[in-house]
Amino acid sequence: MSKILLKLIGVNKFYHMGEVTVEALKDISLEINEHEITVILGPSGSGKSTLLNMIGGMDRPSAGSIFFYDRDLTRLDDQELTLYRRREIGFVFQFYNLIADLTALENVELAANLVKNPLSSRKVLEKVGLAARKNHFPSQLSGGEQQRVAIARALVKNPRLLLCDEPTGALDLATGQKILSLLKKINEELGTTIIIVTHNSAISTMAHNIIRMGSGKILEIIANPHPVPPERIAW
Ligand code: ADP
Ligand code: MG
């Protein structure tokens, strides 16, 4: 039996916009096991990024609990939440968010400096297939290469949970497949638990678990006993 890494109980999130209240998350309860890949699937506006931001400690729910192992994130103060985000979470975004005037290696080293026991920045760049490009700036790299640097930056902290928000959203099919294969390899070789957010149902077939969302709610949670290798997924 694998251990439960993450458990959400009755999570709600409201945004107050003047007179209007947006209910971005409605009564979300779920569990995620260690070492598994989960895809959160849903159309634009269904609350996927909001959910990922709560899990990653970037924002707080309006109600409910989020347990990371036995710690309830909603009971941490701001400083404790910052440490949680820094030590436990790696984040990968659709548009890479690299620092433009730092090289690939420097972008990764910056993240390594945030934690006590980082992996080797050079080795992690090697793992993502970019050893030869370590001294290049983001503007000298393709989209797929920039996303590899972003993945290396997230991984160098050796996080227990890697959160990826539409990681292939800005990439063509072949490049996107390679990024997903890399995420799969990281899951297999390092055991990192991974959550991938996407609106693309083809991508969900690579996951061990699929959480389908609509209008801020969970519609369905599906266990997938036969994940498809990412290189065989097309969209
Ligand atoms: P998704 O990532 O699935 O596209 P989001 O989580 O970004 O969806 O958004 C879910 C809903 O919450 C949308 O209606 C969106 O407009 C709203 N929302 C998200 N973030 C904010 C915010 N900071 N302030 C107000 N409304 C927000
Ligand atoms: Mg989103």
Side-chain angles (χ1 to χ4, degrees), residues 8 32 39 49 61 79 85 106 161 163 197 200-201 207 211 220:
L8 277 67
I32 288 177
V39 162
S49 294
Q79 196 186 352
R85 199 167 53 233
E106 288 165 346
L161 180 57
L163 303 177
V197 156
N200 183 333
S201 60
I211 298 174
E220 199 179 7

PDB file of all heavy atoms in Angstrom, residues 8 32 39 49 61 79 85 106 161 163 197 200-201 207 211 220:
ATOM      1  N   LEU A   8      -7.118  16.319   0.672  1.00  0.00           N
ATOM      2  CA  LEU A   8      -7.941  17.527   0.757  1.00  0.00           C
ATOM      3  C   LEU A   8      -9.310  17.137   1.278  1.00  0.00           C
ATOM      4  O   LEU A   8      -9.885  16.136   0.827  1.00  0.00           O
ATOM      5  CB  LEU A   8      -8.099  18.194  -0.619  1.00  0.00           C
ATOM      6  CG  LEU A   8      -6.958  19.125  -1.058  1.00  0.00           C
ATOM      7  CD1 LEU A   8      -5.684  18.335  -1.304  1.00  0.00           C
ATOM      8  CD2 LEU A   8      -7.354  19.916  -2.297  1.00  0.00           C
ATOM      9  N   ILE A  32      -4.074  11.913  -2.763  1.00  0.00           N
ATOM     10  CA  ILE A  32      -3.044  11.574  -3.751  1.00  0.00           C
ATOM     11  C   ILE A  32      -1.955  10.773  -3.051  1.00  0.00           C
ATOM     12  O   ILE A  32      -1.450  11.179  -1.998  1.00  0.00           O
ATOM     13  CB  ILE A  32      -2.503  12.853  -4.422  1.00  0.00           C
ATOM     14  CG1 ILE A  32      -3.594  13.394  -5.367  1.00  0.00           C
ATOM     15  CG2 ILE A  32      -1.200  12.594  -5.169  1.00  0.00           C
ATOM     16  CD1 ILE A  32      -3.279  14.669  -6.060  1.00  0.00           C
ATOM     17  N   VAL A  39      -3.285  13.467 -13.134  1.00  0.00           N
ATOM     18  CA  VAL A  39      -3.651  14.563 -14.032  1.00  0.00           C
ATOM     19  C   VAL A  39      -4.965  15.156 -13.555  1.00  0.00           C
ATOM     20  O   VAL A  39      -5.930  14.426 -13.289  1.00  0.00           O
ATOM     21  CB  VAL A  39      -3.761  14.083 -15.498  1.00  0.00           C
ATOM     22  CG1 VAL A  39      -4.550  15.096 -16.336  1.00  0.00           C
ATOM     23  CG2 VAL A  39      -2.366  13.904 -16.105  1.00  0.00           C
ATOM     24  N   SER A  49      -6.120  25.656 -11.897  1.00  0.00           N
ATOM     25  CA  SER A  49      -4.964  26.413 -11.388  1.00  0.00           C
ATOM     26  C   SER A  49      -5.199  26.834  -9.947  1.00  0.00           C
ATOM     27  O   SER A  49      -4.268  26.811  -9.123  1.00  0.00           O
ATOM     28  CB  SER A  49      -4.705  27.651 -12.255  1.00  0.00           C
ATOM     29  OG  SER A  49      -4.314  27.258 -13.546  1.00  0.00           O
ATOM     30  N   PRO A  61      -7.125  28.231   0.987  1.00  0.00           N
ATOM     31  CA  PRO A  61      -8.557  28.027   0.750  1.00  0.00           C
ATOM     32  C   PRO A  61      -9.409  28.914   1.648  1.00  0.00           C
ATOM     33  O   PRO A  61      -8.937  29.377   2.689  1.00  0.00           O
ATOM     34  CB  PRO A  61      -8.780  26.547   1.073  1.00  0.00           C
ATOM     35  CG  PRO A  61      -7.547  26.038   1.699  1.00  0.00           C
ATOM     36  CD  PRO A  61      -6.474  27.064   1.595  1.00  0.00           C
ATOM     37  N   GLN A  79       4.948  32.283   7.344  1.00  0.00           N
ATOM     38  CA  GLN A  79       6.350  31.890   7.249  1.00  0.00           C
ATOM     39  C   GLN A  79       6.476  30.365   7.070  1.00  0.00           C
ATOM     40  O   GLN A  79       7.276  29.890   6.265  1.00  0.00           O
ATOM     41  CB  GLN A  79       7.086  32.340   8.507  1.00  0.00           C
ATOM     42  CG  GLN A  79       8.585  32.319   8.353  1.00  0.00           C
ATOM     43  CD  GLN A  79       9.297  32.639   9.662  1.00  0.00           C
ATOM     44  OE1 GLN A  79       8.651  33.032  10.654  1.00  0.00           O
ATOM     45  NE2 GLN A  79      10.590  32.457   9.682  1.00  0.00           N
ATOM     46  N   ARG A  85       6.421  25.608   0.829  1.00  0.00           N
ATOM     47  CA  ARG A  85       6.495  25.802  -0.624  1.00  0.00           C
ATOM     48  C   ARG A  85       7.933  25.655  -1.109  1.00  0.00           C
ATOM     49  O   ARG A  85       8.213  25.032  -2.121  1.00  0.00           O
ATOM     50  CB  ARG A  85       5.975  27.209  -0.931  1.00  0.00           C
ATOM     51  CG  ARG A  85       5.560  27.445  -2.334  1.00  0.00           C
ATOM     52  CD  ARG A  85       4.775  28.745  -2.450  1.00  0.00           C
ATOM     53  NE  ARG A  85       5.481  29.877  -1.893  1.00  0.00           N
ATOM     54  CZ  ARG A  85       4.991  30.714  -0.982  1.00  0.00           C
ATOM     55  NH1 ARG A  85       3.776  30.570  -0.532  1.00  0.00           N
ATOM     56  NH2 ARG A  85       5.714  31.719  -0.528  1.00  0.00           N
ATOM     57  N   GLU A 106      22.501  29.130 -14.112  1.00  0.00           N
ATOM     58  CA  GLU A 106      22.266  30.100 -13.033  1.00  0.00           C
ATOM     59  C   GLU A 106      20.807  30.085 -12.579  1.00  0.00           C
ATOM     60  O   GLU A 106      20.527  30.253 -11.383  1.00  0.00           O
ATOM     61  CB  GLU A 106      22.665  31.510 -13.492  1.00  0.00           C
ATOM     62  CG  GLU A 106      24.171  31.681 -13.601  1.00  0.00           C
ATOM     63  CD  GLU A 106      24.576  32.937 -14.384  1.00  0.00           C
ATOM     64  OE1 GLU A 106      23.721  33.554 -15.067  1.00  0.00           O
ATOM     65  OE2 GLU A 106      25.769  33.279 -14.337  1.00  0.00           O
ATOM     66  N   LEU A 161       6.875  16.907  -4.102  1.00  0.00           N
ATOM     67  CA  LEU A 161       5.709  17.057  -4.973  1.00  0.00           C
ATOM     68  C   LEU A 161       6.037  18.054  -6.081  1.00  0.00           C
ATOM     69  O   LEU A 161       6.481  19.173  -5.805  1.00  0.00           O
ATOM     70  CB  LEU A 161       4.520  17.542  -4.134  1.00  0.00           C
ATOM     71  CG  LEU A 161       3.191  17.760  -4.834  1.00  0.00           C
ATOM     72  CD1 LEU A 161       2.715  16.491  -5.531  1.00  0.00           C
ATOM     73  CD2 LEU A 161       2.136  18.228  -3.823  1.00  0.00           C
ATOM     74  N   LEU A 163       4.459  20.135  -9.158  1.00  0.00           N
ATOM     75  CA  LEU A 163       3.178  20.624  -9.674  1.00  0.00           C
ATOM     76  C   LEU A 163       3.410  21.272 -11.032  1.00  0.00           C
ATOM     77  O   LEU A 163       4.237  22.179 -11.154  1.00  0.00           O
ATOM     78  CB  LEU A 163       2.580  21.653  -8.703  1.00  0.00           C
ATOM     79  CG  LEU A 163       2.366  21.164  -7.270  1.00  0.00           C
ATOM     80  CD1 LEU A 163       1.835  22.311  -6.392  1.00  0.00           C
ATOM     81  CD2 LEU A 163       1.407  19.979  -7.227  1.00  0.00           C
ATOM     82  N   VAL A 197      -1.691  19.595 -14.479  1.00  0.00           N
ATOM     83  CA  VAL A 197      -2.970  20.218 -14.820  1.00  0.00           C
ATOM     84  C   VAL A 197      -3.035  20.406 -16.330  1.00  0.00           C
ATOM     85  O   VAL A 197      -2.074  20.865 -16.938  1.00  0.00           O
ATOM     86  CB  VAL A 197      -3.095  21.585 -14.104  1.00  0.00           C
ATOM     87  CG1 VAL A 197      -4.051  22.500 -14.842  1.00  0.00           C
ATOM     88  CG2 VAL A 197      -3.537  21.405 -12.666  1.00  0.00           C
ATOM     89  N   ASN A 200      -6.359  19.105 -21.769  1.00  0.00           N
ATOM     90  CA  ASN A 200      -6.208  18.200 -22.902  1.00  0.00           C
ATOM     91  C   ASN A 200      -6.421  16.745 -22.454  1.00  0.00           C
ATOM     92  O   ASN A 200      -5.584  16.158 -21.771  1.00  0.00           O
ATOM     93  CB  ASN A 200      -4.788  18.400 -23.435  1.00  0.00           C
ATOM     94  CG  ASN A 200      -4.512  17.572 -24.660  1.00  0.00           C
ATOM     95  OD1 ASN A 200      -5.115  16.520 -24.869  1.00  0.00           O
ATOM     96  ND2 ASN A 200      -3.588  18.038 -25.469  1.00  0.00           N
ATOM     97  N   SER A 201      -7.543  16.136 -22.858  1.00  0.00           N
ATOM     98  CA  SER A 201      -7.878  14.812 -22.320  1.00  0.00           C
ATOM     99  C   SER A 201      -6.903  13.727 -22.783  1.00  0.00           C
ATOM    100  O   SER A 201      -6.694  12.738 -22.080  1.00  0.00           O
ATOM    101  CB  SER A 201      -9.306  14.432 -22.704  1.00  0.00           C
ATOM    102  OG  SER A 201      -9.432  14.393 -24.100  1.00  0.00           O
ATOM    103  N   ALA A 207      -1.495   9.225 -16.948  1.00  0.00           N
ATOM    104  CA  ALA A 207      -1.516   9.315 -15.490  1.00  0.00           C
ATOM    105  C   ALA A 207      -1.927   8.007 -14.832  1.00  0.00           C
ATOM    106  O   ALA A 207      -2.588   7.167 -15.434  1.00  0.00           O
ATOM    107  CB  ALA A 207      -2.487  10.419 -15.071  1.00  0.00           C
ATOM    108  N   ILE A 211      -8.273  13.173 -12.321  1.00  0.00           N
ATOM    109  CA  ILE A 211      -9.319  13.891 -11.579  1.00  0.00           C
ATOM    110  C   ILE A 211      -9.965  14.848 -12.565  1.00  0.00           C
ATOM    111  O   ILE A 211      -9.311  15.765 -13.062  1.00  0.00           O
ATOM    112  CB  ILE A 211      -8.714  14.657 -10.389  1.00  0.00           C
ATOM    113  CG1 ILE A 211      -8.067  13.668  -9.412  1.00  0.00           C
ATOM    114  CG2 ILE A 211      -9.785  15.510  -9.703  1.00  0.00           C
ATOM    115  CD1 ILE A 211      -7.309  14.309  -8.276  1.00  0.00           C
ATOM    116  N   GLU A 220     -15.327  13.529 -11.387  1.00  0.00           N
ATOM    117  CA  GLU A 220     -15.005  12.109 -11.437  1.00  0.00           C
ATOM    118  C   GLU A 220     -13.534  11.913 -11.058  1.00  0.00           C
ATOM    119  O   GLU A 220     -12.696  12.729 -11.431  1.00  0.00           O
ATOM    120  CB  GLU A 220     -15.198  11.655 -12.895  1.00  0.00           C
ATOM    121  CG  GLU A 220     -15.367  10.195 -13.114  1.00  0.00           C
ATOM    122  CD  GLU A 220     -15.582   9.883 -14.617  1.00  0.00           C
ATOM    123  OE1 GLU A 220     -15.472  10.783 -15.469  1.00  0.00           O
ATOM    124  OE2 GLU A 220     -15.828   8.719 -14.910  1.00  0.00           O
TER     125      GLU A 220
END
